Amino acid sequence: MKPILLSGVKPTARVHIGNYFGAMKQFVDLQDKYSNFNFIADYHALNQMMDKPQDIKRLTLELTAAYLAIGLDPKKTVLFRQSDVPQVTELNWIFNSLVTPSYLQSAHAYKDAVAKKKTVNMGLFCYPVLMAADILIYGSDIVPVGKDQEQHLEIAIDLAKKFNHAYGAEVFKMPKGMIWEGQSVKGIDGEKMSKSKGNVIELFEPEESIRKKVMSIKTDSAGVDDKKDPEADNVFAYHKLFSVKMLDELRGRYEKGGIGYKESKEILFANMMAYLKPMRKEYEKLIKNEKYLNKVLSAGAKKAREVAEEKMVKVRKAIGVR
Ligand code: TYM
């Protein structure tokens, strides 16, 4: 039996290169070594998308096509919608009884929303509990995510310990977080790339739109001949992802002077499009085949429910409702 890899992405916007390098690429790279469970976190999206049912539907299909286009193989990976596994929301309810409001008040997403004076619904407040249910119900060994999810992983481990301790049973295995080595991909403004900040480059957006975004990446005002610190430049941060083969050459040109940001961006755009081309081609085909995408999701849902139900039999017994 292979160890289990689990991770999800919310269908709140189209996938961007932060999602890809921070998390999704790992799912593909590791699908031979692990038994993969990858899902569309549609119930997690709900607290932002309550009034947008058509968007959730569309973005779910797009995310399914994206998962497949980047190389996930449905024969190796169980690909499913979170909402297709009601056992997860059942476990969420049980976990709710193990945490206090003051415990959840220390969660980043909640504190952030309060700091920005946003209205906080219970979906946002209890977000880490649902995420713990996602992670623990499938007996996950590793959870590859970007740095921003680190605290959620700690909460999941904490809940596994709390449950096992409360019921004197080893029902839940401790998962391990696998935080992407690059931590976070920056957006075109130099801040963390984020769906909510409008600074993203999507994997599948039109080529012309990607070009415009690349050409508008924020830089300092150094001239062509000035020496530049590659580690301080936002364009170079993208070269580390897309221009791996010519990285040393580019680093040398930055340090000596003789490359302007315009040229650096043009090289980046060409390398980015070459890197993304095969998956973009695949995506174009997949997105037109809604029937196939739904078929993949139903097969994944069936398998995910089986695994989740097996765990819930133990949970229900442990807590005394069976
Ligand atoms: P979401 O949809 O916000 O992001 C999906 C994944 O992309 C990573 N990510 C980034 N990585 C590097 N740089 C960035 N700029 C960047 N932006 C996003 C995120 O860290 C994440 O790994 N709560 C999760 C979804 C979820 C989940 C789970 C994940 C629900 N249940 C269980 C793992 C396990 C989320 O909002 O991801």
Side-chain angles (χ1 to χ4, degrees):
M1 276 264 287
K2 288 181 186 170
I4 293 172
L5 175 154
L6 171 125
S7 197
V9 178
K10 274 181 311 196
T12 44
R14 297 189 174 118
V15 289
H16 54 70
I17 61 176
N19 302 132
Y20 177 70
F21 284 102
M24 297 168 83
K25 182 176 182 297
Q26 273 71 253
F27 312 162
V28 180
D29 293 347
L30 295 169
Q31 69 180 334
D32 287 319
K33 210 168 146 200
Y34 288 86
S35 180
N36 271 26
F37 285 75
N38 290 127
F39 64 98
I40 292 148
D42 49 0
Y43 276 160
H44 268 114
L46 208 57
N47 64 58
Q48 284 164 266
M49 311 276 286
M50 204 67 204
D51 52 348
K52 298 178 184 135
Q54 288 313 322
D55 289 358
I56 288 216
K57 215 171 180 166
R58 185 74 211 147
L59 289 165
T60 294
L61 272 184
E62 290 183 0
L63 182 51
T64 311
Y67 268 132
L68 297 171
I70 62 167
L72 278 187
D73 177 351
K75 289 196 199 81
K76 298 177 187 165
T77 290
V78 182
L79 189 56
F80 61 102
R81 284 189 199 94
Q82 184 181 37
S83 61
D84 270 332
V85 188
Q87 287 86 346
V88 169
T89 40
E90 183 185 353
L91 183 59
N92 174 61
W93 181 254
I94 296 165
F95 280 167
N96 273 344
S97 304
L98 287 173
V99 289
T100 58
S102 61
Y103 178 82
L104 292 178
Q105 266 163 3
S106 66
H108 292 322
Y110 170 74
K111 285 208 295 202
D112 208 45
V114 171
K116 287 182 183 145
K117 299 202 170 9
K118 286 190 189 160
T119 315
V120 176
N121 57 38
M122 289 305 287
L124 175 67
F125 189 62
C126 298
Y127 190 100
V129 184
L130 180 58
M131 191 156 152
D134 285 327
I135 295 172
L136 299 176
I137 206 164
Y138 303 103
S140 316
D141 290 289
I142 63 156
V143 186
V145 282
K147 177 85 179 155
D148 59 341
Q149 299 297 317
E150 197 171 21
Q151 191 195 36
H152 292 150
L153 293 178
E154 284 161 11
I155 293 177
I157 293 169
D158 211 21
L159 268 163
K161 286 186 189 152
K162 277 189 164 70
F163 186 98
N164 289 350
H165 179 75
Y167 295 104
E170 288 301 304
V171 173
F172 293 111
K173 200 177 352 175
M174 298 305 134
K176 272 207 183 73
M178 191 183 167
I179 308 294
W180 177 53
E181 58 192 13
Q183 311 250 317
S184 291
V185 174
K186 285 183 184 175
I188 55 173
D189 56 358
E191 301 289 316
K192 185 193 152 233
M193 184 173 285
S194 168
K195 296 169 193 178
S196 58
K197 286 190 191 144
N199 62 1
V200 308
I201 298 177
E202 294 167 13
L203 288 184
F204 306 111
E205 71 181 278
E207 183 165 340
E208 201 32 48
S209 161
I210 295 187
R211 168 188 277 283
K212 275 194 196 132
K213 287 183 178 175
V214 168
M215 296 318 282
S216 68
I217 294 171
K218 197 171 165 191
T219 61
D220 60 29
S221 54
V224 175
D225 295 328
D226 294 334
K227 291 180 180 170
K228 301 174 185 69
D229 175 4
E231 296 309 321
D233 174 41
N234 293 326
V235 186
F236 197 82
Y238 289 109
H239 279 308
K240 286 185 181 169
L241 304 173
F242 294 103
S243 313
V244 179
K245 284 190 193 136
M246 57 192 297
L247 202 61
D248 289 344
E249 180 200 330
L250 285 166
R251 190 186 295 281
R253 292 187 67 198
Y254 263 71
E255 285 167 351
K256 263 197 227 122
I259 183 168
Y261 290 122
K262 185 163 179 284
E263 184 188 347
S264 182
K265 287 175 180 179
E266 272 159 5
I267 296 171
L268 172 65
F269 173 67
N271 290 344
M272 192 183 274
M273 290 321 294
Y275 187 105
L276 298 178
K277 196 174 170 184
M279 58 177 94
R280 288 167 65 87
K281 224 172 128 191
E282 203 50 36
Y283 182 84
E284 284 312 314
K285 272 195 274 167
L286 285 159
I287 198 63
K288 289 185 197 126
N289 198 346
E290 213 172 304
K291 205 168 151 201
Y292 173 68
L293 298 176
N294 282 320
K295 205 173 125 199
V296 169
L297 289 180
S298 334
K302 190 166 172 279
K303 176 76 190 149
R305 272 197 300 266
E306 275 167 26
V307 178
E309 179 56 23
E310 218 177 286
K311 180 67 78 187
M312 285 311 292
V313 169
K314 293 186 186 138
V315 171
R316 294 182 201 114
K317 193 163 172 252
I319 63 172
V321 297
R322 287 292 178 284

